[in-house]
Amino acid sequence: MPSPLTSLAAAPAANFEFRSAEHVPETHEWPGLHDHPSVEAAAAGRDAVPVVDLGGGGDPAAVARAVARAAEEWGAFLLVGHGVPAGVAARVEEQIAWLFALPAADKDRAGRRPGEMNGYGRPPYAVRFSRLMWSEGYTFAAAAVRDEFRRVWPDGGDDYHRFCEVMEEHHREMMALGGRLVDVLFRALGLTDERIAAGETERKIRESLTATMHLNLYPRCPEPERAIGLAAHTDSGFFTLITQSPVPGLQLLRRGPDRWVTVPAPPGAFAVVLGDLFQLLTNGRYRSAFHRAVVNGDRDRISVPYFLGPPPDMKVAPLAAALPPGGKPAFRSVTWPEYLGVKGKASGFDASALAMLQVPEEGDKKV
Ligand SMILES: C=C1C[C@]23C[C@@]1(O)CC[C@H]2[C@@]12CCC[C@@](C)(C(=O)O1)[C@H]2[C@@H]3C(=O)O
Ligand SMILES: O=C(O)CCC(=O)C(=O)O
Ligand SMILES: [Fe+2]
């Protein structure tokens, strides 16, 4: 079987009929999925996925400590007590199920074109693999829902307006929550509230956050152990807020011994996954989480990652406050699109791409 890390140039362009599949065909069969065992998250101890509670009037210093520990050790956590009404996620999931249930011709009108980020189809990094994933996706700029979905519903109409209203409601809630989380993550780095409010870079980051949504549908799979919903990767932006249906599927890789921990999906909780640019911003102190999505033998699963990052022209560099006293930045500055270019050339699709941005330490030999 060829390595899954070769180009997909020769892959069939036609949509695959997940619904009628009785087996996983060779095109969708992934080698190496079970190189590391999958384990359920534990209630306590080393495989307990950290939980951060933003509500309940908890001590902000205790929240900051919990976030720092989760960001350093896991690069991810479950977020509860966030104040986003439960109805929002339910409406979003309902609309997404409707969208993906549309006839293929409607979705294909919005098909992602080569070299474009937005549209219906496989996720952008799929071009790197020789195997296909067991999912359908739709990527769009959260601030441009109405323009984007005219491609699916050219004449507008009630379905179009309902869909856009629900996505916009989600966007408003997630952007507000994302802004609060930036502050919490900064506080967890040791920044004071004054610095967060007045520091030029810190303020600019919070005020200029951009958001991309990627809707995932993982259809029920007849042989779930042979297919993958989304292949292992790190997200490349600052962080991602993932709304998950009650069907679990998100897994985080834990090292020593290597194992995939399945993230529980308690009702109302968001999974927060840090991306590579947050690792760079914190000079490597926080880490991005290597994760994947597995599929389910009985039920469809929907997930709605909301990717937050800098505007495309903003150079991201390690924050002065993240450097050790007298220390130097470990990485050179980069924009998000530049970083995606760098990551596209790396061998895996993970934070190892950051090594290409590393500033040599003084005394390192020049080649
Ligand atoms: C903002 C973005 C992050 C993303 C690339 C994108 O432009 C839109 C889709 C995102 C996604 C979702 C699936 C996995 C992933 C690696 C991919 O190919 O598309 C991520 C990208 C990322 O975080 O780099
Ligand atoms: O489905 C999930 O829970 C994870 C989705 C994800 O990692 C992504 O879209 O980048
Ligand atoms: Fe992801």
Side-chain angles (χ1 to χ4, degrees):
M1 184 175 292
S3 151
L5 269 179
T6 51
S7 167
L8 187 69
N15 286 334
F16 176 71
E17 275 299 330
F18 291 106
R19 300 283 166 210
S20 50
E22 287 174 12
H23 299 284
V24 170
E26 209 187 322
T27 46
H28 289 69
E29 189 180 349
W30 283 66
L33 288 182
H34 307 289
D35 287 355
H36 314 309
S38 288
V39 299
E40 294 304 313
R46 60 178 201 155
D47 285 341
V49 178
V51 178
V52 170
D53 187 349
L54 286 187
D59 171 16
V63 173
R65 278 196 301 278
V67 168
R69 204 174 320 118
E72 286 166 9
E73 291 175 13
W74 287 72
F77 50 90
L78 280 169
L79 188 68
V80 298
H82 43 65
V84 179
V88 180
R91 284 190 286 279
V92 168
E93 180 162 347
E94 183 187 50
Q95 289 302 313
I96 293 172
W98 276 108
L99 173 77
F100 284 121
L102 287 173
D106 291 346
K107 296 183 283 187
D108 286 344
R109 251 198 315 278
R112 185 199 315 280
R113 291 181 277 259
E116 281 185 3
M117 280 293 186
N118 294 339
Y120 168 74
R122 302 175 189 127
Y125 78 144
V127 293
R128 301 176 55 119
F129 304 115
S130 65
R131 300 285 143 160
L132 298 170
M133 296 178 241
W134 200 266
S135 54
E136 287 184 61
Y138 200 129
T139 310
F140 58 98
V145 174
R146 293 202 179 246
D147 285 347
E148 176 62 41
F149 285 93
R150 276 287 175 165
R151 296 168 69 192
V152 177
W153 289 280
D155 303 327
D158 289 350
D159 290 351
Y160 164 77
H161 288 291
R162 201 172 310 111
F163 182 87
C164 293
E165 271 158 31
V166 170
M167 294 305 134
E168 285 174 346
E169 179 186 34
H170 186 66
H171 172 40
R172 279 193 300 277
E173 293 286 350
M174 292 300 101
M175 188 50 95
L177 181 58
R180 281 172 66 201
L181 258 184
V182 168
D183 289 355
V184 173
L185 286 158
F186 282 169
R187 227 173 270 134
L189 270 180
L191 272 74
T192 60
D193 284 352
E194 293 69 39
R195 176 67 184 259
I196 294 171
E200 201 188 325
T201 315
E202 289 80 356
R203 194 164 39 81
K204 202 169 153 210
I205 286 173
R206 179 159 21 75
E207 288 174 2
S208 65
L209 284 177
T210 64
T212 304
M213 282 169 71
H214 177 79
L215 318 177
N216 288 304
L217 169 71
Y218 307 102
R220 185 197 74 78
C221 179
E223 296 173 295
E225 62 298 330
R226 297 177 66 197
I228 189 76
L230 268 191
H233 64 280
T234 55
D235 294 344
S236 53
F238 283 156
F239 58 91
T240 310
L241 291 165
I242 309 177
T243 314
Q244 310 182 77
S245 68
V247 183
L250 175 63
Q251 294 189 321
L252 302 168
L253 186 68
R254 302 289 291 154
R255 299 283 184 194
D258 293 355
R259 60 211 184 274
W260 287 104
V261 175
T262 304
V263 178
F270 296 112
V272 180
V273 171
L274 298 193
D276 298 344
L277 288 183
F278 219 83
Q279 183 165 330
L280 185 150
L281 190 70
T282 61
N283 208 38
R285 184 169 149 194
Y286 294 168
R287 33 165 304 210
S288 57
F290 194 56
H291 59 284
R292 68 180 188 177
V294 295
V295 288
N296 192 281
D298 303 314
R299 288 194 283 168
D300 289 2
R301 172 170 182 264
I302 283 175
S303 74
V304 195
Y306 185 86
F307 297 92
L308 283 153
D313 59 351
M314 183 181 185
K315 286 275 189 190
V316 180
L319 286 172
L323 307 181
K328 294 224 165 62
F331 305 101
R332 67 173 171 81
S333 67
V334 70
T335 66
W336 195 356
E338 282 166 357
Y339 179 64
L340 284 172
V342 168
K343 201 167 174 177
K345 290 189 206 116
S347 56
F349 206 79
D350 58 27
S352 63
L354 284 173
M356 290 189 249
L357 303 172
Q358 236 153 9
V359 177
E361 300 231 357
E362 259 159 50
D364 278 2
K365 265 206 212 126
K366 290 209 175 70
V367 192

